[in-house]
Amino acid sequence: MRIDVITLFPGMFTGPLTESILQRAQDEGHLELKFHDLREFGIGNYKQVDDSPYGGGAGMVLKPDVLVEAIERVSNEGKEGKEGKPWRIYLSPRGERLVQQKVEQIASDHEWLILLCGHYEGIDQRVIDGGWIDEEISIGDYVLTGGEIPAMVLIDAVARHIPGVLGKEESAAEESFSESLDRKKEYPHYTRPEEFRGLNVPEVLLNGHHAEIEKWRRQQIDN
Ligand code: SAM
């Protein structure tokens, strides 16, 4: 999968996406991430990207001409490629709440995503109304300073469902909210030592009886 991120702060993505499973996914070619600095699409000598809101009020609004130029330019970059048309997502507290089923759907339906990160007061509504955004997604009912952390959350969650990204031992099949657990929360896990500061591993997990272990785990699943 290819994911292009349009952001005023591309530097924020170094670290969270360049370690562990997500870095390996990029090294092995399962995931291609590209970051586009919105400032480069800014207008005039000062590369202006925002302006004060019509109607007054605090905060600045990202300008529609700058945003659409960035979305169109990035969309055109891949036209000749195998990815086809990008699915354009704006990370927004007003969007549809991101849940596991939504993550799985995005991973299975799309080869190429563009993620638009807002900042300050947000983006000019005409970018959405004019059809340059396919979907608005929120990572929860709270407000962050920008769309960068929500974009990282979405990338991480979606990447786990790209074939080849998780090794067999890290499979996403039996995790909290997965279909195989009826979308419920997973059972608890234990590892060595068998006794830790007076706390013991449940007996059933020690006896090697797979049917009983399975039954116990089913009972633990959150209702
Ligand atoms: N004025 C907006 C509102 O009240 O809904 C909040 C803007 S927020 C300070 C700036 C940017 O952060 C947004 O444009 C969006 O991209 C991002 N953002 C903040 N909270 C988010 C959330 N819960 N989910 C997704 N994106 C979020």
Side-chain angles (χ1 to χ4, degrees):
M1 176 181 274
R2 167 177 168 180
I3 305 179
D4 287 81
V5 182
I6 300 173
T7 166
L8 271 175
F9 303 97
M12 284 180 71
F13 292 83
T14 314
L17 303 181
T18 55
E19 298 280 347
S20 183
I21 295 170
L22 294 180
Q23 180 60 57
R24 190 181 70 203
Q26 294 169 80
D27 293 342
E28 293 177 355
H30 302 299
L31 176 65
E32 186 186 3
L33 297 175
K34 294 187 180 187
F35 300 96
H36 307 271
D37 188 343
L38 189 63
R39 184 70 58 187
E40 286 174 14
F41 300 89
I43 290 163
N45 289 342
Y46 295 103
K47 295 279 178 199
Q48 185 186 1
V49 294
D50 55 4
D51 212 330
S52 49
Y54 278 114
M60 300 293 270
V61 177
L62 294 176
K63 286 165 61 58
D65 40 359
V66 174
L67 293 168
V68 167
E69 174 70 15
I71 294 168
E72 287 184 340
R73 199 119 45 99
V74 172
S75 300
N76 287 337
E77 273 180 17
K79 266 201 175 128
E80 305 300 323
K82 61 177 167 59
E83 302 102 341
K85 206 172 160 293
W87 186 251
R88 301 156 302 178
I89 295 172
Y90 168 48
L91 283 311
S92 164
R94 296 174 61 194
E96 180 183 341
R97 183 96 59 84
L98 188 64
V99 295
Q100 189 65 25
Q101 260 171 292
K102 184 77 202 165
V103 167
E104 290 167 16
Q105 186 204 328
I106 292 171
S108 66
D109 289 359
H110 306 291
E111 279 286 301
W112 180 15
L113 304 177
I114 292 181
L115 305 183
L116 177 62
C117 304
H119 227 86
Y120 314 121
E121 204 53 50
I123 70 171
D124 190 300
Q125 181 64 27
R126 289 168 292 183
V127 177
I128 298 161
D129 295 345
W132 287 281
I133 291 297
D134 299 304
E135 185 169 36
E136 290 178 79
I137 288 186
S138 164
I139 63 160
D141 289 348
Y142 41 82
V143 176
L144 300 167
T145 54
E148 286 74 15
I149 291 172
M152 288 184 234
V153 169
L154 181 62
I155 292 168
D156 189 309
V158 168
R160 301 181 80 252
H161 294 275
I162 301 171
V165 167
L166 295 187
K168 196 168 173 289
E169 289 184 358
E170 303 149 343
S171 166
E174 203 169 282
E175 300 266 37
S176 294
F177 318 118
S178 64
E179 207 173 354
S180 65
L181 294 190
D182 302 330
R183 304 284 177 204
K184 293 174 181 168
K185 293 178 194 164
E186 205 196 29
Y187 44 82
H189 300 282
Y190 300 87
T191 186
R192 277 179 277 275
E194 201 175 307
E195 191 260 12
F196 172 69
R197 299 200 181 188
L199 299 167
N200 292 308
V201 174
E203 195 65 38
V204 64
L205 299 179
L206 305 174
N207 67 16
H209 194 298
H210 292 300
E212 279 179 27
I213 293 171
E214 186 55 28
K215 189 172 162 212
W216 178 85
R217 285 181 168 165
R218 282 274 145 197
Q219 285 165 350
Q220 303 302 308
I221 293 172
D222 196 55
N223 285 304

